Amino acid sequence: RDRVHVGLKMRESIAQGAHKNVFKKYCRKDDSMLPRDQLIQALSELNIRVSENELAEMLDEGRDEPVSCIDTEDFSFLVTKQRPVELWVNTVPFSKVFADALPMHSHKSSLRFLANLSPQDVDTLFDGVIDGMKKLFEEHKQQLNRALQAAEKSAAKDGAPKFQVFTMSCGRVMDFHKGLQERLGSPSLRFLESMELEHCGRPGARRRFVTSNYGIDTCPA
């Protein structure tokens, strides 16, 4: 219970920008870079616990040399990045159990009904939710255990860790996780214009051909 309260407080403080003050506290004053040997301590001040192995996976994956320091942007990415456990928990459909536990009502809006629940109603709701969440957690935990055992057997059989391949460094790990949108920008939402251009305005749009299935003479335009 204490860890839950700490986690809630940590996320609230990060949302309010507390991690920026922590970065300023531990970064070097001459170049505003945070040394790697100060990173775990800085994260701990935000109640984020990571091991050396987890840190190496987040920072050094896909690089020829270990990262020695990070800037404020990379630090912000690290403190908001979901950990493997968080990503796994997101796959467990706890929300469905919660929705199933809601009492029957005649209100026109389920969300309005939910928003108006009294503290006593909330206590009753969670009394019903806990057992279902425990059962669901146990089922998915067993699935996780089987998946990890299978992965370990596969790695042992191959004689090498899974996904061990030759790598080419094309930027930092953070660049990869930011995705193409960060580099190329958001996609255009002008769907109809793009469809018309694709079928009617591109080279070959009026080049005729015969379809292989029905033998129809046609063209994209």
Side-chain angles (χ1 to χ4, degrees), residues 188-214:
S188 171
L189 300 180
R190 300 165 68 176
F191 299 118
L192 294 178
E193 293 181 26
S194 299
M195 290 171 61
E196 182 180 3
L197 181 63
E198 179 69 23
H199 286 275
C200 303
R202 299 294 187 187
R206 301 188 182 278
R207 181 181 302 168
R208 307 194 68 81
F209 66 96
V210 178
T211 61
S212 59
N213 50 358
Y214 298 114

Side-chain angles (χ1 to χ4, degrees), residues 96-109:
K96 294 183 179 180
V97 177
F98 185 87
D100 292 341
L102 287 174
M104 297 294 293
H105 63 89
S106 58
H107 204 286
K108 293 182 179 180
S109 171

